[in-house]
Amino acid sequence: MRIEPETLSPGRRYFLMTSCILPRPIAWVGTVNADGGYNLAPFSYFNGLASTPPVVGIGFGPHADKAEKDTVANLRRTGELTISIPDLALVEQVEASGQDLPYGQSEFAAAGLTAVVGETVQAPYVGEAKVSFECRVLQLIPLGDQGSELLLAEITLFHILDTLLDDYGCVDQRKFQALARMGAGRYAGVGEVFKAGA
Ligand SMILES: Cc1cc2nc3c(=O)[nH]c(=O)nc-3n(C[C@H](O)[C@H](O)[C@H](O)COP(=O)(O)O)c2cc1C
């Protein structure tokens, strides 16, 4: 079947794309609100883009009722964020933190999570996460003219649970059990891990 993107509604386009581009890691983004409170939200249009320097990218969609999502407003104002990478055990808290709370009401408290303030940034990361990055904003780039934006951010500090690291300085994926976002609101664990060509 051929499908021309402009023949789909934004919702249908979202469902098609997110059920083709699989699995997606989840950036659990911590930022500081204008009143000093903490904001946390999950984003799965997320990936690593470079290691030298260490750069990640996140795609933000428009908000239905506001000029922009709270995360984007906070990034624009502070230039700082954290990204925690949730594991399978944190799926319910991830889902809860994706709900729209009134500005100023913290998703950390609502989801029963510990906010740990960064060392290189003021933004908080999730104390319960095995992997978190502290980051600074490099660029926020508009994607077209309908309110979507691409964040490019540089990692300024890695926090990795000691017991996850192997002798090569890699995170052992079987111990990590990273949570993945699938299509239509589904999740998966990264189950089958193997090396090709061996
Ligand atoms: C697992 C998951 C992944 C999500 N991925 C994205 C995404 O990649 N881009 C986006 O704009 N919204 C995404 N959302 C929706 C945002 O998390 C949601 O709009 C959130 O309320 C934004 O919070 P904020 O206004 O505090 O920034 C996702 C939600 C969930 C639960």
Side-chain angles (χ1 to χ4, degrees):
M1 176 174 301
R2 292 176 66 256
I3 304 175
E4 292 170 353
E6 56 282 4
T7 63
L8 299 174
S9 68
R12 291 278 172 184
R13 214 157 40 222
Y14 165 79
F15 280 120
L16 183 63
M17 286 183 68
T18 56
S19 58
C20 291
I21 304 168
L22 299 171
R24 294 182 310 287
I26 297 172
W28 217 359
V29 176
T31 52
V32 178
N33 295 325
D35 65 1
Y38 295 147
N39 192 77
L40 180 70
F43 298 94
S44 66
Y45 274 147
F46 161 60
N47 226 309
L49 301 178
S51 309
T52 311
V55 173
V56 297
I58 302 177
F60 299 108
H63 194 281
D65 317 314
K66 298 186 276 197
E68 54 192 5
K69 298 195 177 194
D70 296 341
T71 299
V72 179
N74 291 344
L75 292 174
R76 211 181 292 291
R77 201 184 59 260
T78 65
E80 295 183 345
L81 67 150
T82 66
I83 297 175
S84 296
I85 314 281
D87 60 82
L88 271 178
L90 291 168
V91 64
E92 295 304 332
Q93 289 92 325
V94 167
E95 190 65 20
S97 69
Q99 306 310 312
D100 233 348
L101 290 183
Y103 189 81
Q105 201 171 318
S106 176
E107 288 84 2
F108 280 96
L113 295 165
T114 312
V116 182
V117 178
E119 292 172 37
T120 64
V121 297
Q122 298 298 310
Y125 60 92
V126 176
E128 287 76 6
K130 295 174 185 167
V131 171
S132 295
F133 308 148
E134 298 182 19
C135 305
R136 69 182 182 92
V137 173
L138 292 177
Q139 271 182 281
L140 266 169
I141 304 167
L143 299 175
D145 58 3
Q146 296 174 64
S148 290
E149 295 205 60
L150 170 65
L151 167 74
L152 299 180
E154 180 171 353
I155 299 172
T156 53
L157 192 64
F158 298 98
H159 295 276
I160 315 283
L161 187 70
D162 294 355
T163 52
L164 286 189
L165 287 172
D166 66 17
D167 294 344
Y168 300 99
C170 291
V171 164
D172 182 329
Q173 296 127 31
R174 284 157 302 186
K175 290 186 187 161
F176 185 13
Q177 295 281 308
L179 180 65
R181 179 75 153 169
M182 307 298 278
R186 297 193 181 93
Y187 294 88
V190 183
E192 198 180 350
V193 179
F194 60 92
K195 265 192 169 173

